[in-house]
Every structure is written in structure tokens, then in C-alpha cells.
Amino acid sequence: MKPPRFEYYAPQSLDEALALLEKFATDARVLAGGQSLVPLMNMRLASPREIIDINKVAALDYIEEHDGYLCFGALTRHRTIERSPLVAAYCPLLAQAVAFVGHIQVRSRGTIGGSVAHADPAAEYPAVLATLDGMIIAQSVRGRRAIDWEQFFLGPYMVDLQPDEMVVEIRLRKPAQPTASAFLELSRRHGDFALVEAAVQLQIDSAGKCAAVQIALGGAGGTPVRALGAEQYLRGRVADVGESGQAAALAAENLDPDDDLHASADYRKRMASLLVARALAQAVELGSKSNRS
């Protein structure tokens, strides 16, 4: 099947792209890596009248440190993130997560901005943003605004973007202290969308206790979920496998996943608990080793 006819535009600058978005508003879609939009168009699940291809907008392709954040231009490819020394040094959780994104062909074309704006509940980036209290920068001809991840992700494939806005930057706060992290997901085959994801970041103090902990789950609802009960339970406790098991049970306790042809809701809840336990155990081991060295 082929997509319906559309008008194609390839702006050279961000200002030009935003002007086109203002002109065409609800009839236009932005094309970045095309890993989600193009299949939807081919299946006629999306039928935009205008396509605004931003691949020539070089100003949106960067990874930078700024004011305590690691900032990603919306056009930054998954593969660039996977290979980035900055990401490896300051955001190892993201480095682990991006390795689960599709296959190398997908990672070579797909972008962080496109994935976040698409808001697939089973995608990796939303869970990372939830874990690290990420921020999304949206822009239109009217100006920029910063949106916390909780306000941005509204539901499956639904985000807080106006028709004339586009995602221009993703921000992840750099940790003030050394941390240990782990990202795990369950899928039928490597490269498939996840049935469940677990993301963990820990800071373990010199006494072996959890000084800070952040846990999020993906694929277990319409939006990423922070496991606040599990975080509260672990904070101030000795970081060990036994505590990880109790925290994992708390993390899955209030989940309300859907049944679908891939997995039942009950299976997803049980796997969510298992993945959180494993991710916590990995992060604890890594953090303990770092403290000893």
C-alpha cells in the first residue's frame, strides 16, 4: 500500500520549518527519521496533506552540556547517542536504553525528537525521561516553552504539543553525584517493541545506603510510570538484593496495564516486578563496586 498524495517541503532552517508549521497547522506532519511516520502513512493510518522534512535543519542535530543538563537536538540520531562519550559519561542509563531501540538500521535513521514526539508507550526514551525527570522543549513561531515529562506524555501516541509546535530539544539533568543505573526490557525478539521496560538510577552513599533512587516503567500503561512507592521504600535503606525484591513488588503494585495479543495485563505486571528487581540488583552491584574502587 502507498500513502495518499501530499505536498513535500524541505526547509533549510528552523525558522523556515516553524513558518511552514504555522501555515499548514493540523494538516502537516514533521518528518525526521521517518521510522514511525512513514509506515503509518504507507498503511494509511496517517494521511497528512503536507510533509515538512527537517533533515536539512542542521541546527537541530547536537549533543551539548548546558546549565547542568545534557541537551539533545531533536534531530540527533539514535546511533549518535549510542556512540556519544558525553552520554556514556553523564547519562549511562540512556546509553543502555538506546541499544534496545530497533536494529542498527533503525538507530542510524531514527531520532530522539521523533521518538519522543511519537510517544509510543513501548518506546525506550519515555521511560528514560521519566526516570531522569526529563524536559522537552517545544517551539513555534510564538516562541519556546519547556514541558516536564509528566505534562508532555498524555496517553498512547498523545503529547502536549500544539498543531504549530514541534519538539526541538530534549534535556536530561546531569547527576550531581556519581550514580549507577540499569535499563532492562522484555520483548519477543531483540528489536521488537518492549512488552515491559524497567529503568533504574541509584546513588549509593559510603554507608551502602540508597541516598537517591529513581525507578520508572515503560510498556505497562499508556504513559511511562514512576514507581514512587518503591523509591520511597528504598531511600535511606541499605542497598541489597533483599530490599530490591520488596521494592520491585511495590513498583508493580499499582500498575494497570492493558491486555493485548502480545501479553495479558497480569503477565505484564509480573514481568514488571521481575525486571525492576533485576535492574535494581544490577545497579546495586555496579554502585557498590564503584564505592569500593
Side-chain angles (χ1 to χ4, degrees):
M1 188 178 291
K2 295 182 179 180
R5 291 178 64 87
F6 57 87
E7 295 295 324
Y8 175 81
Y9 299 88
Q12 306 287 315
S13 68
L14 179 57
D15 287 344
E16 187 182 352
L18 295 175
L20 288 167
L21 266 180
E22 182 189 36
K23 178 179 180 180
F24 298 119
T26 55
D27 292 329
R29 294 289 296 270
V30 174
L31 174 68
Q35 301 306 294
S36 299
L37 179 58
V38 171
L40 289 175
M41 290 174 63
N42 285 338
M43 292 185 287
R44 302 207 172 197
L45 296 174
S47 302
R49 294 182 182 179
E50 291 86 20
I51 291 293
I52 302 171
D53 183 345
I54 62 170
N55 280 278
K56 295 182 180 179
V57 183
L60 293 178
D61 185 3
Y62 59 85
I63 302 176
E64 298 175 350
E65 297 176 74
H66 185 67
D67 291 338
Y69 285 91
L70 203 55
C71 304
F72 301 83
L75 203 56
T76 307
R77 311 286 174 187
H78 308 315
R79 189 67 168 150
T80 303
I81 294 169
E82 190 175 16
R83 294 175 165 181
S84 168
L86 281 176
V87 173
Y90 296 118
C91 195
L93 180 67
L94 179 61
Q96 294 174 55
V98 74
F100 287 98
V101 176
H103 302 283
I104 192 167
Q105 295 89 342
V106 172
R107 296 197 295 276
S108 296
R109 290 298 306 163
T111 66
I112 187 171
S115 179
V116 169
H118 187 56
D120 190 314
E124 288 77 14
Y125 290 133
V128 173
L129 264 69
T131 309
L132 303 181
D133 292 316
M135 185 182 300
I136 297 91
I137 308 301
Q139 186 168 344
S140 70
V141 296
R142 295 173 283 109
R144 285 191 171 203
R145 64 186 180 110
I147 313 165
D148 291 335
W149 73 270
E150 289 178 288
Q151 282 72 50
F152 184 78
F153 296 111
L154 302 178
Y157 311 104
M158 295 186 293
V159 296
D160 179 21
L161 280 180
Q162 298 302 310
D164 64 342
E165 286 183 316
M166 61 180 284
V167 172
V168 294
E169 186 175 277
I170 309 297
R171 294 179 183 174
L172 298 174
R173 189 180 295 278
K174 293 165 54 182
Q177 301 293 331
T179 59
S181 60
F183 186 97
L184 297 174
E185 71 174 46
L186 174 68
S187 60
R188 296 184 67 182
R189 298 168 300 182
H190 179 71
D192 284 0
F193 281 109
L195 300 176
V196 185
E197 303 161 345
V200 170
Q201 181 169 277
L202 294 176
Q203 179 190 337
I204 300 176
D205 64 21
S206 57
K209 296 181 179 180
C210 294
V213 55
Q214 294 141 283
I215 304 169
L217 291 151
T223 62
V225 177
R226 271 291 284 272
L228 299 178
E231 292 178 7
Q232 183 177 4
Y233 174 81
L234 283 174
R235 203 170 291 119
R237 293 178 182 268
V238 174
D240 62 25
V241 175
E243 300 293 1
S244 296
Q246 180 61 35
L250 290 171
E253 192 173 54
N254 295 319
L255 292 179
D256 187 25
D258 293 327
D259 288 301
D260 60 30
L261 59 87
H262 300 295
S264 68
D266 179 66
Y267 179 76
R268 278 194 165 92
K269 286 190 70 170
R270 288 189 288 114
M271 291 303 101
S273 179
L274 177 64
L275 288 186
V276 170
R278 289 180 178 177
L280 281 169
Q282 287 186 17
V284 166
E285 181 179 4
L286 182 61
S288 300
K289 285 181 179 178
S290 298
N291 283 350
R292 291 194 297 268
S293 60

